[in-house]
Amino acid sequence: MSHALALSGLAVILVGFLLRLQPLLVVAVAAAVTGLTGGMGPVEILAAFGKAFNTNRFVTVVYVVLPLIGLIERNGLQERARAVVAGMRGLSLGRLLAAYMLLRQISAGLGLVQVAGHPQTVRPLLAPMAETAADPDDTMPPPEREQVRALAAATDNIALFFGEDVFIAIGSILLMKGFLDQYGIVLEPLALSVWAIPTAICAFLIHGARLMWMDRRRAARSPSPFVLSEVEGRAPGESLEARASTGSARTGEGNRG
């Protein structure tokens, strides 16, 4: 009977998913119910949770960093990232993402996979920097802004996917070695990682060319500042505020005349 009650955790998962509750909470409650019905005490259940977390800490360590990233963002991390990019003249969206892709591939090839990523660098740093590089005046429409963010995330994915295989101790290399060993094909991890280098280079060249092409498209769509100046009736490089103050001064002179 006790063994049958231990399966009640499955019912908790089923009901929780049917009600569309928070998945992590549902799984945690199901595990607790399974432990209690299986004869475990609260302390033993908590110890089991801690052991599982410690055993798989390389997977869940990013969740420990998330509160820190959120705190830094709240104190102006994204604004500071935008300010840094705004001060770099000649830095385009394509050049920024290409430079990030190169650094990401090199770090992944050295085994530093968790140094960067979507929660660590893309959302708090790369995405706002890419938005500023694409639109320094902050006039980009929301759909285009989402495309820039997606491109930043895709750049990180591509760099990591093709860069991590260069490192011999990465899981994908070990998986390929184990799969080939089953069929009598003996290959050392170093041989697999060496042949991953040309693939990583090709990925960088292809995606880098795509980024440069997107830069050209954006430049072709953006009107010249001289054209905008003529349309708005102001000199090239003159700000709208300066133009407004000049117009007000002229209006005042006309009224006095």
Side-chain angles (χ1 to χ4, degrees):
M1 184 65 180
S2 60
H3 295 290
L5 289 176
L7 298 176
S8 57
L10 297 176
V12 174
I13 292 179
L14 180 61
V15 173
F17 285 172
L18 286 176
L19 296 177
R20 296 185 178 182
L21 300 177
Q22 215 282 337
L24 184 60
L25 178 62
V26 171
V27 173
V29 172
V33 170
T34 302
L36 291 174
T37 54
M40 297 176 63
V43 177
E44 293 176 311
I45 295 174
L46 185 61
F49 273 115
K51 181 180 179 181
F53 179 84
N54 186 60
T55 303
N56 300 281
R57 61 186 180 276
F58 60 91
V59 177
T60 55
V61 67
V62 64
Y63 299 112
V64 180
V65 183
L66 284 179
L68 176 61
I69 296 175
L71 181 62
I72 297 176
E73 281 191 27
R74 186 177 180 181
N75 286 274
L77 176 63
Q78 292 192 3
E79 289 75 11
R80 182 57 184 167
R82 290 190 176 95
V84 170
V85 174
M88 297 181 179
R89 296 185 178 274
L91 181 63
S92 64
L93 173 63
R95 293 174 183 174
L96 172 67
L97 294 182
Y100 175 82
M101 182 177 182
L102 180 61
L103 292 175
R104 182 68 163 133
Q105 277 194 318
I106 293 175
S107 62
L110 296 175
L112 304 176
V113 176
Q114 299 296 337
V115 169
H118 288 204
Q120 302 99 310
T121 53
V122 174
R123 183 185 184 278
L125 288 174
L126 185 61
M129 293 172 74
E131 292 174 19
T132 304
D135 181 28
D137 298 327
D138 197 19
T139 58
M140 191 164 42
E144 189 173 352
R145 188 178 300 275
E146 292 298 327
Q147 289 180 356
V148 171
R149 293 174 179 173
L151 184 61
T155 300
D156 182 86
N157 286 343
I158 295 171
L160 175 62
F161 185 84
F162 291 99
E164 65 179 0
D165 288 343
V166 179
F167 188 60
I168 61 175
I170 204 69
S172 56
I173 293 292
L174 301 178
L175 177 63
M176 286 187 285
K177 175 176 171 51
F179 179 79
L180 293 173
D181 286 344
Q182 293 178 1
Y183 294 92
I185 303 174
V186 180
L187 282 177
E188 294 298 326
L190 181 60
L192 294 172
S193 63
V194 166
W195 282 104
I197 296 176
T199 308
I201 294 175
C202 290
F204 176 77
L205 294 177
I206 293 172
H207 191 65
R210 180 170 177 260
L211 293 174
M212 296 301 107
W213 175 70
M214 292 188 67
D215 263 356
R216 290 179 177 272
R217 284 188 59 190
R218 293 183 60 84
R221 284 186 304 171
S222 300
S224 169
F226 290 92
V227 176
L228 284 176
S229 302
E230 293 176 2
V231 172
E232 297 171 356
R234 58 189 175 94
E238 183 183 13
S239 64
L240 293 176
E241 292 79 3
R243 177 62 185 172
S245 61
T246 304
S248 301
R250 290 178 179 175
T251 302
E253 291 176 359
N255 293 334
R256 287 195 298 271

